[in-house]
Amino acid sequence: MYQDTNSTDAALRQRARRVVPGGMTGHLNAAALPPGYPQFFQRGEGCRLWDADGQVYIDFMCAWGPNLLGYQHPEVQAAAQAQAALGDCLNGPTARFVELAEAVVDTFAHADWVMFQKNGTDATTVALMVARAATGRRKVLAAHGSYHGAAPWCTPVAHGTTAEDRAHLIRFRYNDVDSLAAAAAEAGPDLAAVLLSPFRHDLGIDQELATPAFAQAARRLCTEAGAALVLDEVRTGLRLHLAGSWEPLGIRPDLCAWSKAIANGHALASVTGTDALRDAAGRIFTTGSFWAGGVAMAAGLATLEVARRDGLVAHLERIGGLFRQGVAEQATGLGVAVRQSGPVQMPLILFDEDPAWEKGATFTAEALRCGVYLHHKHNMFLSLAHTEADIAVALRATEAGLRAVRQRFGAG
Ligand SMILES: Cc1ncc(COP(=O)(O)O)c(C=O)c1O
């Protein structure tokens, strides 16, 4: 078992500490999770993960987003393996590059063109380069607490960066039209872009959908200022609406950054944009040794195809709704005050009077013992592979988790 010092996980952690700074860097470091969470995994299939010791979990993190259709989805894997047999990283892209570009432009409503990268940070960074190239301006407005990646301009931890890296970033409060306007006034004629996630999904606080008034204000402000409205779809992409997360609001961005789920776990990111920004996008120099690799593009093509054919978003909404309703009923029945916020397909469960997320940690640690991998303060993710039966099993674990919270902290 993971807590057992004789476990494979413990042995791997010990070996990693010798050869990797801190044993593991970044958001995947299990030290940031409640005790008992494994650091290492051996495989995933559908909505299940096996840790290094062979313990199996129903997974509600989906590799922090990339698992959209199920780990090892047969069609995605077949497409990736067929391309891998031919070649991945070559002197230039394969035909998959053009085929995927066509499919992306057909799928995302605002998109007239696409550029491919590997990680979400690549995509947000390139999107801002395009905005700056197009406008010849420097200032970017971004919401307080929003996460847009781990490059020096956006990493939430300042170690190893300079204040100058963020010198042209101006912050505002999400969903606050006045705050956005004040930030725009501060940028003045130097405003290049407004960078927004489609909804507020900051760590450890309730999620918040964008209000129509806020989305409209952001769109209007950018249009009037001749700046780019950039949506960071890295976390949300394909889960809320296949054509783009703000399509239901009727608001179209100028640029979008995508990654995580778009190739169902294969490394792929993209920036999409409108015709008005095409020239600027063609003028910047941006590249990466692996960005044109054919395998992830073959996987991306299969992912879009399956997502469309199998009614992905409707499925996520249905099972997400079942999960949310089940947890709400359990919490009410047990007299434990929980808050569930944001879209049901990206669940977040927080507890009242839990400033240090201790109730959340008790809840998720108990659920983990019951074979369900949740997160105590980050939004979770559902996939096409989660079935009603999986949700029913998961709800047995959440019930045990809620009982543990009541036992340790009392009702309320
Ligand atoms: C909204 C958002 N933008 C950007 C990123 C950065 O993506 P990556 O970690 O692939 O660089 C993330 C990653 O979690 C994200 O959630």
Side-chain angles (χ1 to χ4, degrees):
M1 280 285 282
Y2 32 86
Q3 271 174 318
D4 180 349
T5 48
N6 293 320
S7 68
T8 303
D9 193 83
L12 287 169
R13 287 189 202 216
Q14 199 180 8
R15 284 168 58 194
R17 273 193 294 273
R18 278 200 302 273
V19 288
V20 176
M24 176 68 204
T25 54
H27 66 294
L28 301 184
N29 192 336
L33 293 168
Y37 273 73
Q39 177 68 80
F40 293 95
F41 295 86
Q42 40 176 273
R43 72 185 182 98
E45 193 181 318
C47 68
R48 284 178 171 68
L49 277 179
W50 283 257
D51 71 18
D53 288 280
Q55 194 81 24
V56 61
Y57 311 95
I58 298 183
D59 175 33
F60 278 67
M61 282 310 282
C62 289
W64 297 69
N67 178 32
L68 180 73
L69 308 176
Y71 294 109
Q72 303 293 330
H73 187 279
E75 282 162 87
V76 177
Q77 291 309 96
Q81 281 156 15
Q83 183 57 51
L86 297 171
D88 182 18
C89 187
L90 307 169
N91 284 5
T94 68
R96 305 293 87 69
F97 176 90
V98 181
E99 292 159 8
L100 182 62
E102 288 169 347
V104 163
V105 167
D106 285 348
T107 303
F108 300 147
H110 90 113
D112 295 316
W113 53 261
V114 58
M115 297 163 83
F116 295 111
Q117 307 84 27
K118 281 292 167 193
N119 287 286
T121 309
D122 301 334
T124 52
T125 303
V126 168
L128 295 190
M129 287 173 74
V130 174
R132 286 181 169 130
T135 57
R137 306 174 188 167
R138 296 175 299 175
K139 303 295 178 193
V140 171
L141 314 187
H144 287 292
S146 60
Y147 185 71
H148 296 294
W153 69 267
C154 56
T155 179
V157 178
H159 293 300
T161 70
T162 67
E164 287 79 5
D165 291 321
R166 292 173 293 285
H168 297 300
L169 216 52
I170 303 175
R171 297 287 182 175
F172 61 88
R173 281 185 301 281
Y174 198 96
N175 265 344
D176 183 333
V177 174
D178 292 341
S179 166
L180 178 65
E186 190 182 330
D190 207 10
L191 180 63
V194 175
L195 173 61
L196 280 169
S197 54
F199 71 92
R200 189 177 187 195
H201 48 47
D202 307 347
L203 185 68
I205 61 170
D206 295 320
Q207 304 192 98
E208 224 178 280
L209 297 181
T211 64
F214 178 72
Q216 283 156 13
R219 179 62 278 174
R220 199 177 322 113
L221 188 156
C222 288
T223 304
E224 286 172 7
L229 177 60
V230 185
L231 267 197
D232 179 351
E233 291 262 26
V234 170
R235 201 178 302 185
T236 46
L238 299 182
R239 278 194 166 83
L240 305 195
H241 193 293
L242 289 191
S245 296
W246 275 10
E247 277 301 295
L249 291 175
I251 305 286
R252 295 215 168 134
D254 302 301
L255 293 163
C256 272
W258 311 84
S259 186
K260 288 201 183 277
I262 61 170
N264 201 49
H266 292 265
L268 188 67
S270 64
V271 173
T272 49
T274 58
D275 269 331
L277 296 162
R278 189 188 289 265
D279 280 353
R283 276 187 279 118
I284 63 170
F285 182 79
T286 168
T287 184
S289 297
F290 303 103
W291 285 10
V295 169
M297 295 192 182
L301 271 166
T303 300
L304 287 180
E305 163 73 21
V306 173
R308 201 178 298 120
R309 185 197 66 202
D310 290 2
L312 168 74
V313 175
H315 175 84
L316 297 179
E317 285 173 345
R318 197 168 54 79
I319 52 155
L322 288 175
F323 184 61
R324 180 160 299 182
Q325 189 189 340
V327 171
E329 284 169 6
Q330 291 169 345
T332 305
L334 289 165
V336 177
V338 303
R339 302 189 309 276
Q340 301 188 79
S341 56
V344 293
Q345 53 271 58
M346 294 172 67
L348 177 69
I349 304 170
L350 298 176
F351 291 79
D352 281 358
E353 290 166 39
D354 192 27
W357 303 282
E358 287 170 26
K359 292 181 185 175
T362 301
F363 170 65
T364 50
E366 183 59 28
L368 190 84
R369 269 191 286 280
C370 298
V372 174
Y373 191 111
L374 303 172
H375 200 288
H376 61 301
K377 60 177 173 177
H378 190 285
N379 74 266
M380 296 176 271
F381 300 87
L382 292 170
S383 78
L384 188 64
H386 288 82
T387 63
E388 276 185 38
D390 296 319
I391 298 297
V393 174
L395 285 170
R396 292 207 285 274
T398 56
E399 168 131 31
L402 290 168
R403 284 187 190 284
V405 171
R406 196 180 64 173
Q407 196 177 358
R408 184 165 163 207
F409 297 94

